[in-house]
Amino acid sequence: MRRAAPDVAAPTPLRGAGPHDGPASRGRLVALVLFILVLVVAVGGSVVHLPYAVMSPGAAIDTLGDRVSRGARTPILTVAGAKTYPTDGALRFTTVSVSGGPGYPVDLWKVLGAWVDPAQDVLPVDEVFDPRATSQQVEEENAIEMKGSQQEATAVALRAAGYGVPTSIVVARVLDTSKAKGLLRAGDRLVRVGGVAATSAEAVRGALQRVRPGASVPVDVTRAGRPVTVTVQTIEGSGGRTALGVLLGLDHDFPVTVTVSAGDVGGPSAGLMFALGIFDKITAGSLTGNHDIAGTGTIDDTGAVGPIGGIKQKLVGARASGADYFLAPAANCAQVIGNVPAGIEVYKVASFADARAAVEGIAKGQTASLPRC
């Protein structure tokens, strides 16, 4: 009698062996193709650099607090040479994280993610950075602006607290096109230009308009404490105006030493909050009433508050940090409207006096009369 043949499993066909493959094999092939396509798109998106800058909410840093670096704590503001007082609450300067720009291009995925995130903005990179600038030049410019904002903030705060702060007009930089190269130096304090006292930048510019471009004028300066007089041939500046070909700045004789330790934050927009923080430290009593207040705005030597960029991102960052109130430059009110996160109140300010009044009003719970955007 014949024995029945044993059961034998059917042989497994090779993958991709031919038109007789089963559905499972075809499914695996489709999955593999899709995986490869996704991989190609992902890699391609990461290497495709786009000419955009992405602005995202940054940190909101308390000027009355400390900066922590590698486990060490350093006060954001330190005052020497004057009596200081305890503070409470918070006076936060706000920041924006910017991706893109010279040396740091953004990829496709960063841009796509920002487009769908209402807290971020995507702008043509040339609207944010000078297309001719290198990454090093951008960093240097930001550092210079930050240092200038600290100087102006210190002067405004000290004056508001009753200190005298003499100010001088100085040469900040001699341009390559200037005939003053080798004659004037960065840091020279202007005393007289063309016989006119250099009491302000406007006075210097007005004195130069008394002569035609190309004419020479005497310039009296103080250099390292010594008087120096040079004769400089003027050039034609913007709009056909007579110019020296130098950038002017301010130099202060501070009766008090204020040190600002803000880390690697750059730009001028923290000036207002630095001024408030310094003022709070050198005056008796609580300025904030133990409230958490954030804000932004440039500040000049007269105490005027100027507009800044990234107000939407700064509002989001302020609220995320726990701030309940926000001080916005009056000139930014159009960008504030419609971009205020829930739970934060915004007050507009055009000067240090406005900002101080707003903080004092918040501290007392008297905000009904404060101007808003």
Side-chain angles (χ1 to χ4, degrees), residues 8-14 20:
V8 177
T12 303
L14 296 176
H20 301 294

Side-chain angles (χ1 to χ4, degrees), residues 54-59 93-98 118-123 127-128 269 295-297 306-318 326-329 332 335-336 339 341:
V54 175
M55 302 180 70
S56 309
F93 70 90
T94 48
T95 65
V96 175
S97 175
V98 182
Q120 300 186 73
D121 282 325
V122 179
L123 300 172
E127 289 186 13
V128 182
S269 64
T296 187
I308 51 77
I311 189 74
K312 178 171 72 173
Q313 287 75 33
K314 291 181 177 182
L315 283 162
V316 173
F326 192 93
L327 307 181
N332 283 118
Q335 293 84 41
V336 168
N339 289 309

